[in-house]
Amino acid sequence: MKNYNKLKRTITGPVLFILCYLFLPVSVFPEAAARAAIGTVAWTAFWWITAPVGFAVTAFLPIALNALFSIADMSKVIANYSSETILLLLGASIISISWEETGLDYRISAKFLSLIGSNLRKQIIFWFILSAGLSTILPNAVVCATITPIAVSMLRYVGEHDIAKSRVGSLLLLTIAYGTGVGGLASPLGGAMNLVTVDYLEQLTGMEYMYTSWVVRFLPIMLVLVISNILMLLIGVKKSEEIGGSKEYFETQFKKMPPMTMQEKASLWLFIIATVLAFSRQLYQDMLPGLKPAYVFIICAIFSFLIPTEEGSRLMSWKSTQKRIEWELMYVFAGGLAVGTLVNNSGAAANIGELVSRMEFNSTFVLILIIITMTVLLSDVTSNTATAAVAMPIVISIVQGMGLNAIPYVYIASIGVNLSYMLPTSIRAIPVGYGLEPQYMLKKGMPITIVVILLMSVLSWAMLTYWPAFSTI
């Protein structure tokens, strides 16, 4: 019976592709490539959610289907599998392995737990606010890639080794992914998708856009998002639920630990250096334009293989390290980017936008609801930046065609561009690489998506109606 169910799930993937390719309306998707791109999304998403094969295997579907159906330029598709973000994740994984080799992961975990405590509700709030706070001024992929290994180390310290089977572990990793996604909306520095928005605002007005204006206008939105996301994540978590042991227990465990070794200090400093340089890129980018965050982490990862031990050998060796690298993490992340490339380069995203633009709207609220729904769902199957690049000109053309001021609707579209919860694409692939099940992500992500779409639609409508500054820059 088990083999039959797996076979059924395996066959359903290509069936979904065929149905999309043959029966999606030509009036909406006139090009076969666009229909094939939508079919690839359906097949890939279904296999990631039901897992009839390994997640990494599914991640290579975009290459295979593109080779068969010529959906997009293959060089652009395969470029996703060696992107800068992949190198960043590889470097971060190697550094986190050096923590395991030295025992630094347990030391950091014990310290965190002794400070925060082991109450699960407090842990969720802490990790969400930390992730969201850092992502307001830093690339969310960097934040997620550096914070997730710390959380995983803490979970292993308290005995939660199998994230896939750990409700607590899955919830905390999902919290970090959601926090980094929400935090990016707080300022233009939160991600490239916001800079795309700023560029369109400057084109609309012919004026330089001040970043403080963004912070002021999105502050109410951020407050509602942070509170609503945390409340949704806390559903089902009892006030008394603990991770591992009490705060006092972890304080005692930390005090019992011997002084840090030279190897521990070296591993810690490599992480600190990589993180600080990645987060302060704007300070040295003119002097070292090629030293992007991904390459900083790779350089520090190389240095981790040079750390000597007391016995005279090296702390890390590639032969043992490669067996512990989260390769699946890289492939799933790359597969998500590749699917997005197919959707955008095939014209499928533009087709969806044109479909929306042909609809007649008699209500401002309905228009807002459709814009947010479209951008949130599109962000789930492609990158946030790609969604911004596709959605912004479509939204502008729709509202200008209706004789409306486009500025508030660009802000509204930015909300959806930044938010996505359900599928293991973009930064949400990072926790999947550490063991989080995509089925769990979809289960938790669907109700949050519905709530966020409704909340953001109502709030956007209220701000557009009652706050004149929301319609200006």
Side-chain angles (χ1 to χ4, degrees):
M1 186 66 179
K2 185 177 180 180
N3 290 335
Y4 171 74
N5 288 333
K6 181 176 285 189
L7 177 62
K8 186 167 65 173
R9 295 195 303 271
T10 302
I11 294 173
T12 301
V15 168
L16 288 172
F17 176 88
I18 293 170
L19 290 174
C20 291
Y21 187 73
L22 296 178
F23 298 110
L24 280 175
V26 176
S27 58
V28 178
F29 301 99
E31 299 294 331
R35 298 193 296 276
I38 299 299
T40 303
V41 171
W43 185 348
T44 305
F46 183 80
W47 270 14
W48 267 337
I49 292 166
T50 60
V53 297
F55 300 141
V57 176
T58 301
F60 289 108
L61 280 177
I63 294 177
L65 292 171
N66 192 51
L68 292 171
F69 293 91
S70 299
I71 304 170
D73 183 345
M74 183 62 88
S75 64
K76 294 180 180 179
V77 175
I78 61 176
N80 293 295
Y81 294 82
S82 58
S83 67
E84 287 182 3
T85 305
I86 299 299
L87 293 176
L88 186 150
L89 296 173
L90 176 60
S93 293
I94 292 173
I95 292 173
S96 68
I97 290 171
S98 75
W99 289 17
E100 296 177 32
E101 290 286 351
T102 61
L104 177 63
D105 55 344
Y106 289 107
R107 186 181 299 276
I108 291 176
S109 301
K111 184 63 177 177
F112 263 101
L113 288 164
S114 67
L115 293 173
I116 308 165
S118 56
N119 181 270
L120 183 54
R121 286 194 164 201
K122 289 182 180 178
Q123 286 279 339
I124 290 171
I125 294 170
F126 167 78
W127 290 110
F128 189 93
I129 292 176
L130 176 65
S131 304
L134 289 174
S135 294
T136 60
I137 55 172
L138 305 166
N140 53 18
V142 175
V143 174
C144 197
T146 52
I147 291 180
T148 302
I150 298 174
V152 170
S153 296
M154 181 198 71
L155 290 164
R156 288 172 179 164
Y157 179 74
V158 298
E160 302 287 348
H161 295 280
D162 190 346
I163 301 296
K165 297 179 180 178
S166 168
R167 168 180 162 273
V168 169
S170 297
L171 187 56
L172 288 185
L173 294 198
L174 204 58
T175 296
I176 294 170
Y178 288 174
T180 51
V182 168
L185 183 60
S187 83
L189 298 176
M193 58 280 182
N194 295 338
L195 298 179
V196 171
T197 302
V198 168
D199 184 63
Y200 277 107
L201 287 169
E202 291 180 339
Q203 289 180 36
L204 281 170
T205 62
M207 300 167 57
E208 181 182 357
Y209 188 82
M210 297 300 160
Y211 287 6
T212 51
S213 297
W214 181 292
V215 174
V216 170
R217 283 154 183 76
F218 281 93
L219 183 59
I221 295 168
M222 282 300 300
L223 290 174
V224 172
L225 278 174
V226 169
I227 293 171
S228 61
N229 274 247
I230 289 176
L231 289 176
M232 290 293 290
L233 286 165
L234 290 177
I235 291 176
V237 179
K238 298 178 181 178
K239 291 182 179 180
S240 58
E241 196 166 351
E242 300 284 325
I243 303 175
S246 66
K247 181 177 180 179
E248 292 74 20
Y249 167 78
F250 293 115
E251 287 175 347
T252 303
Q253 291 295 107
F254 183 73
K255 290 175 182 178
K256 287 181 180 180
M257 289 184 170
M260 287 183 70
T261 63
M262 183 272 290
Q263 291 93 335
E264 283 182 273
K265 292 177 181 177
S267 295
L268 179 60
W269 272 109
L270 285 176
F271 174 80
I272 292 173
I273 291 169
T275 304
V276 170
L277 287 176
F279 288 174
S280 58
R281 164 82 175 143
Q282 64 273 20
L283 299 179
Y284 62 85
Q285 60 183 351
D286 293 334
M287 184 170 54
L288 295 170
L291 192 62
K292 297 180 180 179
Y295 310 132
V296 169
F297 272 86
I298 286 294
I299 291 170
C300 288
I302 292 171
F303 273 105
S304 70
F305 289 93
L306 306 179
I307 299 173
T309 64
E310 284 82 357
E311 294 78 21
S313 60
R314 302 289 188 186
L315 172 66
M316 303 268 287
S317 70
W318 179 252
K319 189 173 182 179
S320 61
T321 301
Q322 65 175 337
K323 298 175 183 177
R324 296 155 65 187
I325 291 174
E326 303 287 350
W327 295 111
E328 191 170 60
L329 162 62
M330 325 298 175
Y331 298 137
V332 172
F333 192 98
L337 295 177
V339 168
T341 298
L342 296 183
V343 170
N344 284 290
N345 289 21
S346 66
N351 293 153
I352 294 170
E354 289 171 9
L355 174 64
V356 174
S357 67
R358 291 200 297 266
M359 298 178 182
E360 294 184 4
F361 306 105
N362 299 317
S363 165
T364 301
F365 178 77
V366 172
L367 175 59
I368 292 171
L369 178 64
I370 289 175
I371 289 173
I372 290 181
T373 302
M374 179 185 73
T375 48
V376 167
L377 296 182
L378 194 56
S379 294
D380 248 315
V381 298
T382 182
S383 73
N384 304 87
T385 304
T387 300
V390 170
M392 289 306 167
I394 293 172
V395 169
I396 291 170
S397 64
I398 291 172
V399 297
Q400 286 184 334
M402 297 172 66
L404 301 172
N405 176 12
I407 291 174
Y409 293 96
V410 170
Y411 286 139
I412 290 165
S414 296
I415 298 172
V417 163
N418 276 269
L419 304 176
S420 40
Y421 297 92
M422 295 187 291
L423 296 178
T425 52
S426 191
I427 59 170
R428 294 171 304 286
I430 295 174
V432 170
Y434 283 94
L436 177 67
E437 293 283 352
Q439 298 98 317
Y440 180 83
M441 179 179 290
L442 181 67
K443 180 182 176 182
K444 294 291 289 187
M446 287 181 69
I448 292 181
T449 298
I450 294 170
V451 169
V452 163
I453 287 174
L454 293 176
L455 275 177
M456 291 298 100
S457 298
V458 171
L459 181 59
S460 297
W461 175 85
M463 293 171 68
L464 176 60
T465 305
Y466 300 108
W467 189 23
F470 192 67
S471 298
T472 67
I473 63 168

